[in-house]
Amino acid sequence: MDPPPPRPMQPSPTPPPTQPPLPSPPPPHPPPPPLPSPPHPPPLPSPPHPSPRPALGDSFNEYDKPNETDLTLETPYVGMMFDSIEAAEKYYVEYGRQQGFWTRIRSTYKTKWRSDEITGRLFVCAREGKHVRRSPTKNEDVLINEVENSTKKQRRDTSTAKSGCQASMRINFDKHSLKWKVTCFKDDHNHKIVSPKKRMLMRSNKEMPKAVKNLTEAFHREHLTVGKLPAIFGGTHSGFDSRDCYNHLRNVRHRDLDIGDAQSVFSYFKKQQAANPLFYYAIQCDENGRLVNFFWVDARSRMAYRYFGDVVAFDTTYRTNKYNMPFAPFTGVNHHSQSIQFGCALLQDETEKTFVWLFETWLEAMGGRPPISIITDQDLAMKGAIAKVFPNSRHRLCLWHIKKKFVEKLSHLYYKQSKFKKEMKKCIKYTYSVEEFEEQWENLVIKYQLQDNEWLQQLYEIRASWVPVYNRTTFFAGMNTTGRSEGMNSFFDGFVTSTTNLREFVVKYEQALKKIMEKEAHEDFVSEHKNRFVPSDQFLLIHAAKVYTRNIFKKFKDEWVHVNLLKVRDVGDDSFIVESKVNDHFQQFVVKLNLQTCMGTCGCKYFEFAGLICRHIMKVLFKSDVDMIPEHFILARWRKEANKFRVIDSGEILTECDNEHGGALRFNHACQELTKLASIAAPSKEAYIILMEGAKELSKKVHDTLKLSSATSLGDSTAVPNEPQVNYSSPLSQLMLLDPNISQTKGRKKDAKGKEDVESSGRLKSGVEVNLGKRKRKCHSCNKVARHDSRNCPLNQRKRQNSQIGKVLDDDEDEQQELSEDIEISEDEEP
């Protein structure tokens, strides 16, 4: 007998407070399901989770990442709707992040009837699929060749996250509702789910905000530790780690080098010149359009050369870049006795032809004014190029490089605290006349029986190019070596590495220049706004503190402290004899000084060489009651206001520059300001129209003010910058530059062990050729005299590789004998 149909439930009255309601007994049988209505489809089965499920017609809009207060997401189900394919992907990614797995796109489906548009996509667990290891070659000869070739990069074994997981979600486009519908969903994982504490390590949780990416690039530009950024933003819970930061920098480098390394440098130079017309660059290519040499110099360095370009140090020993190209900087000295740059170049080789091109290009960039003196190392190609391009400049060799060879060539005499070393040092450094030097040199050669030493004779023949006494009458800013240039090389070590490409090198060089400018600005501030402690009764020292910068004043003071140790005698005819004792040896110098004009010279030639008044002239002035340093002995390059071009950086108007370089300063300043204004107005059409109308009115006012005729030109003709030079052997239409070859230059023909790895022609030998050139020795594994030992025997290496890939060697004696004979023949062959 069927039970009676259930009655509709009515609201029961509220029971009295003294008696709680009794629970109603459960019905004997569950109620039957209601009959489906004809116009509505049957309900879908309930999802396997307790959360309520939306109806079939409900849809999900664009999904944003929930915060910590958001509820958990429900499990996707068949029939679930999304407004877009991106919303479906975000939902499944966030669901995986919530459950403890990360996802990826497995397949994308397209059909022709929708014009090749996407109609479906399959999202899977990231651990879907299986890793298939690439099997190595089975050719035994190839295995032996791989062992012999030490330069071949071997593939390392790594781990894999793939486990064949079948969890997935597929969506298809529903043409009736114009939405994306879940057509298949599997939530079965065959691996361990990531625990909540470790879910920040999943790839789906890896996210670098744009602000963090910009900060990473800023840290890299300023040479700060990029790996510390995750700790600043919360450590492991920040969503990224140090590897993500370095990967972002790698992506930035790849993005910049999409067009090629050389082409990227060319584009960078054009961009820099567009920002400042005084930026100068020159590129030299071969007949195939491959980059060979390039030179560049910024506008500020060109202006600094007009004031401090009297002495230049040049060196090419620095090769820290990806292509091993020699870095050739032109280094000078500013008014703070700091090293500054006058441009630089990267060269393919160090031949005389290359140096001639570089020096001519540099001279053109500097307005055709050669330096007074130049210091280089002892390189014949460089010496020949300097003689051709700078015939009127005084070329001097680095004294440090010369003295370094004394230890190699005269090791039996020239060693620490040896008598010969002390006497040679005195002969080179403390002789102040040519006759005195030649006499002491001859005495040393006879005393130590060095008449037959060929190297010492050759060194004496070129004595005028390295001995200080021959160069004291020429201004060198007190420099005897290329130490400033090499010091700049060590300074650049903090910016570049051996893997730095050309584009990075150029950018890093610009950052290094900014550091140099910051140091110079700091010294400007200290020199101008801080006073020196000077006794009130030393008037020459007080005047020097007012005129000179801080570092130059220190050098002046170092000379001043010796004044009280000198004696002076007036011998008449504006001549004085100043006597002193240096290193327990009596010395005297003749000072010729006209007390009326305060012009004169000293026998030590310190003023002519270093540009500062010497202690001997100070003694004469002090005895003559002269309270101020004569203007004749104050060089403009050492004054506090020597770098007038720095006002360009402060935005001031140049109204007090009436010297010979005033036109160049005003031209540079006007170009910078007008270029900034043009870059601001270019994005807006209205602003561009206003700028052009104002330019017409401004041009009319300028012409009316100057009353220019058709024969005169605007501005100083000597201030107009040179056009950039791009030397192409190919037609100008082919502007795509190829990357340079790896440079093989001087001083790089030996490896770290001193073994030759370069042929006489300059070609780099391969690893096999280098090994073939080694001395033969007996191998204890194969008992053969060969160019290997038991550690790298081809037989042992072949056995190891075969054991790694699970291969068993064939024990057939014929094949083994044949293999041994082949190895014996290859070992006995001559390279």
Side-chain angles (χ1 to χ4, degrees):
M1 181 177 180
D2 297 333
R7 293 175 297 176
M9 298 185 63
Q10 300 294 336
S12 58
T14 304
T18 58
Q19 184 177 1
L22 297 176
S24 58
H29 298 281
L35 296 177
S37 302
H40 298 283
L44 294 176
S46 300
H49 55 82
S51 59
R53 180 193 51 146
L56 182 62
D58 295 345
S59 61
F60 292 86
N61 295 326
E62 293 290 338
Y63 180 74
D64 296 330
K65 184 176 179 180
N67 53 33
E68 297 180 355
T69 59
D70 292 340
L71 299 177
T72 58
L73 297 177
E74 64 173 332
T75 304
Y77 57 90
V78 176
M80 198 173 188
M81 292 290 187
F82 297 94
D83 287 344
S84 64
I85 192 172
E86 291 80 10
E89 180 179 0
K90 290 183 179 180
Y91 191 93
Y92 191 60
V93 169
E94 186 61 32
Y95 174 75
R97 183 184 292 113
Q98 170 185 296
Q99 298 297 323
F101 68 95
W102 63 98
T103 64
R104 62 183 175 89
I105 299 176
R106 176 63 177 83
S107 303
T108 300
Y109 305 96
K110 300 179 181 180
T111 55
K112 296 181 179 180
W113 60 273
R114 291 203 63 201
S115 301
D116 202 28
E117 296 182 1
I118 298 176
T119 59
R121 179 164 290 178
L122 177 61
F123 306 99
V124 297
C125 175
R127 305 191 65 174
E128 182 267 346
K130 293 184 178 180
H131 174 70
V132 180
R133 182 175 180 179
R134 188 179 64 178
S135 60
T137 179
K138 298 181 180 180
N139 193 335
E140 295 179 346
D141 295 335
V142 176
L143 292 177
I144 296 176
N145 292 335
E146 290 180 355
V147 174
E148 294 287 349
N149 188 4
S150 60
T151 60
K152 184 175 181 63
K153 183 178 180 181
Q154 297 181 357
R155 186 182 183 90
R156 62 176 184 175
D157 295 332
T158 56
S159 59
T160 179
K162 294 185 178 181
S163 63
C165 182
Q166 298 296 325
S168 63
M169 184 183 78
R170 177 170 177 171
I171 60 173
N172 288 91
F173 184 74
D174 188 6
K175 60 181 180 181
H176 299 290
S177 61
L178 301 180
K179 295 183 179 181
W180 296 86
K181 179 180 179 182
V182 178
T183 58
C184 180
F185 176 74
K186 298 179 182 180
D187 203 16
D188 298 330
H189 298 270
N190 64 348
H191 54 85
K192 185 178 179 180
I193 298 299
V194 182
S195 62
K197 293 184 179 180
K198 299 179 181 179
R199 289 177 184 175
M200 291 304 299
L201 302 177
M202 297 192 310
R203 185 176 299 178
S204 57
N205 283 330
K206 297 283 187 179
E207 181 181 2
M208 286 186 65
K210 186 176 181 181
V212 176
K213 293 181 180 179
N214 296 336
L215 192 59
T216 301
E217 298 176 16
F219 269 48
H220 182 64
R221 285 193 302 268
E222 299 299 331
H223 199 64
L224 300 175
T225 305
V226 178
K228 301 297 183 181
L229 274 174
I232 298 176
F233 287 90
T236 57
H237 300 283
S238 58
F240 61 94
D241 54 13
S242 59
R243 175 50 52 192
D244 297 324
C245 297
Y246 290 114
N247 290 342
H248 173 68
L249 296 178
R250 177 202 59 196
N251 297 335
V252 172
R253 286 194 298 268
H254 291 175
R255 180 189 61 196
D256 295 337
L257 299 179
D258 284 343
I259 58 177
D261 202 357
Q263 187 67 23
S264 179
V265 171
F266 187 31
S267 302
Y268 178 82
F269 285 163
K270 292 190 294 184
K271 180 180 178 182
Q272 290 295 107
Q273 193 186 49
N276 192 333
L278 283 180
F279 182 87
Y280 186 96
Y281 67 93
I283 298 177
Q284 190 177 38
C285 304
D286 58 11
E287 61 277 2
N288 298 322
R290 187 174 297 277
L291 181 66
V292 178
N293 308 307
F294 64 96
F295 164 82
W296 75 100
V297 56
D298 64 310
R300 200 178 191 278
S301 297
R302 296 180 70 185
M303 301 305 301
Y305 180 80
R306 296 180 179 271
Y307 295 90
F308 310 119
D310 40 16
V311 57
V312 174
F314 182 75
D315 180 72
T316 59
T317 58
Y318 193 69
R319 296 179 178 89
T320 306
N321 55 78
K322 179 180 178 181
Y323 301 95
N324 196 28
M325 300 177 69
F327 175 58
F330 293 86
T331 308
V333 184
N334 66 358
H335 57 307
H336 298 292
S337 190
Q338 296 175 330
S339 298
I340 56 175
Q341 291 296 299
F342 298 141
C344 64
L346 287 175
L347 309 176
Q348 186 68 32
D349 53 40
E350 294 176 280
T351 60
E352 182 176 342
K353 181 179 178 181
T354 299
F355 285 131
V356 168
W357 172 85
L358 175 60
F359 293 153
E360 290 178 349
T361 303
W362 179 77
L363 187 61
E364 180 182 355
M366 298 305 165
R369 185 168 67 93
I372 296 176
S373 56
I374 182 169
I375 306 177
T376 67
D377 57 2
Q378 195 173 359
D379 186 273
L380 296 179
M382 198 180 300
K383 180 180 179 182
I386 291 176
K388 292 180 180 179
V389 183
F390 309 119
N392 298 324
S393 299
R394 179 65 176 175
H395 179 211
R396 181 181 181 182
L397 302 181
C398 175
L399 182 60
W400 182 83
H401 287 89
I402 299 294
K403 295 174 65 175
K404 182 181 178 182
K405 294 182 180 180
F406 274 88
V407 182
E408 303 174 3
K409 304 295 183 179
L410 302 173
S411 58
H412 63 290
L413 296 174
Y414 198 91
Y415 53 89
K416 188 176 182 180
Q417 295 183 354
S418 67
K419 188 175 180 180
F420 174 78
K421 181 178 180 180
K422 295 179 180 179
E423 293 178 357
M424 181 60 70
K425 180 179 180 181
K426 177 184 176 182
C427 175
I428 295 175
K429 188 175 181 180
Y430 296 108
T431 53
Y432 297 93
S433 65
V434 176
E435 296 77 10
E436 182 182 3
F437 166 77
E438 293 179 351
E439 180 182 356
Q440 292 190 18
W441 181 277
E442 184 178 358
N443 294 336
L444 283 175
V445 172
I446 296 175
K447 180 178 179 180
Y448 293 95
Q449 299 179 0
L450 298 174
Q451 296 90 337
D452 299 332
N453 191 293
E454 183 179 355
W455 175 79
L456 206 60
Q457 292 178 0
Q458 294 177 357
L459 195 62
Y460 182 75
E461 293 175 358
I462 60 171
R463 60 189 180 278
S465 61
W466 65 275
V467 178
V469 69
Y470 291 91
N471 300 280
R472 293 188 188 276
T473 57
T474 306
F475 179 74
F476 279 92
M479 294 190 300
N480 290 311
T481 66
T482 58
R484 288 188 177 272
S485 182
E486 296 176 1
M488 293 303 299
N489 294 342
S490 61
F491 175 75
F492 285 118
D493 280 335
F495 294 88
V496 297
T497 62
S498 58
T499 59
T500 303
N501 55 52
L502 298 183
R503 169 62 185 269
E504 280 186 308
F505 192 96
V506 174
V507 175
K508 293 293 185 180
Y509 175 80
E510 182 182 1
Q511 296 174 6
L513 288 183
K514 292 181 180 179
K515 294 293 183 181
I516 295 175
M517 293 169 55
E518 291 176 0
K519 293 181 179 180
E520 182 178 338
H522 174 73
E523 285 296 330
D524 286 336
F525 173 81
V526 173
S527 298
E528 294 179 1
H529 302 286
K530 292 187 178 181
N531 300 325
R532 315 294 155 247
F533 292 105
V534 181
S536 59
D537 57 342
Q538 298 180 4
F539 301 106
L540 285 177
L541 208 59
I542 294 174
H543 184 224
K546 295 179 180 179
V547 175
Y548 293 128
T549 59
R550 183 181 67 164
N551 293 336
I552 302 302
F553 173 74
K554 290 180 180 179
K555 293 185 177 183
F556 182 91
K557 191 175 181 180
D558 292 340
E559 291 290 313
W560 174 261
V561 296
H562 295 86
V563 170
N564 293 331
L565 303 178
L566 302 175
K567 297 185 300 181
V568 59
R569 290 186 293 112
D570 189 355
V571 296
D573 196 18
D574 295 335
S575 297
F576 304 85
I577 295 180
V578 181
E579 301 175 348
S580 65
K581 287 186 177 182
V582 178
N583 296 334
D584 298 332
H585 292 283
F586 178 80
Q587 288 184 340
Q588 65 177 13
F589 298 93
V590 177
V591 176
K592 294 184 178 181
L593 181 65
N594 188 340
L595 297 178
Q596 301 297 328
T597 61
C598 292
M599 297 179 62
T601 59
C602 179
C604 69
K605 303 296 181 183
Y606 183 75
F607 173 73
E608 291 79 359
F609 179 73
L612 287 173
I613 187 172
C614 66
R615 64 189 69 173
H616 312 109
I617 300 180
M618 290 182 189
K619 183 65 177 180
V620 176
L621 294 176
F622 179 75
K623 182 181 179 181
S624 303
D625 294 331
V626 178
D627 298 336
M628 298 181 65
I629 304 173
E631 290 294 326
H632 170 71
F633 295 106
I634 301 177
L635 295 186
R637 69 174 341 273
W638 299 133
R639 291 178 177 269
K640 294 180 180 180
E641 63 276 6
N643 59 341
K644 290 184 178 180
F645 57 91
R646 65 186 174 135
V647 299
I648 298 176
D649 303 328
S650 62
E652 300 178 7
I653 299 178
L654 305 179
T655 56
E656 300 180 358
C657 295
D658 297 329
N659 56 4
E660 56 179 345
H661 304 307
L665 290 172
R666 290 188 291 271
F667 178 84
N668 187 21
H669 193 200
C671 287
Q672 290 187 10
E673 296 300 323
L674 294 178
T675 301
K676 292 178 182 178
L677 184 60
S679 61
I680 296 175
S684 174
K685 183 178 179 180
E686 293 77 8
Y688 169 76
I689 295 175
I690 295 175
L691 177 64
M692 297 308 297
E693 292 177 353
K696 293 179 180 179
E697 297 178 1
L698 181 63
S699 177
K700 183 179 180 181
K701 291 181 180 180
V702 171
H703 281 77
D704 294 342
T705 302
L706 299 178
K707 298 180 179 180
L708 294 176
S709 62
S710 58
T712 58
S713 58
L714 179 62
D716 188 2
S717 59
T718 60
V720 179
N722 297 318
E723 293 296 328
Q725 177 185 358
V726 183
N727 297 330
Y728 290 99
S729 299
S730 57
L732 290 178
S733 58
Q734 301 177 0
L735 295 180
M736 184 60 67
L737 301 181
L738 301 179
D739 294 343
N741 295 320
I742 302 297
S743 178
Q744 294 296 328
T745 56
K746 303 174 184 179
R748 304 291 291 185
K749 297 183 179 180
K750 293 184 179 181
D751 58 5
K753 297 182 180 180
K755 299 176 181 177
E756 294 289 337
D757 60 351
V758 178
E759 290 184 346
S760 59
S761 61
R763 185 181 68 87
L764 181 66
K765 293 182 180 180
S766 64
V768 176
E769 292 175 313
V770 173
N771 292 331
L772 289 176
K774 296 180 180 179
R775 179 178 58 88
K776 292 184 179 182
R777 54 187 174 180
K778 186 176 181 179
C779 176
H780 295 285
S781 296
C782 60
N783 294 324
K784 298 181 183 298
V785 178
R787 298 177 180 88
H788 65 262
D789 54 15
S790 58
R791 295 173 299 177
N792 55 7
C793 180
L795 286 177
N796 293 343
Q797 294 293 337
R798 180 172 58 83
K799 291 178 182 179
R800 293 194 191 102
Q801 291 193 3
N802 291 339
S803 61
Q804 291 177 1
I805 63 177
K807 181 179 180 180
V808 180
L809 293 175
D810 193 351
D811 295 332
D812 187 79
E813 297 181 358
D814 296 336
E815 293 183 2
Q816 186 70 20
Q817 183 66 22
E818 181 181 357
L819 178 60
S820 300
E821 293 175 357
D822 293 340
I823 296 176
E824 182 179 358
I825 293 173
S826 63
E827 292 170 351
D828 293 338
E829 291 177 353
E830 292 296 330

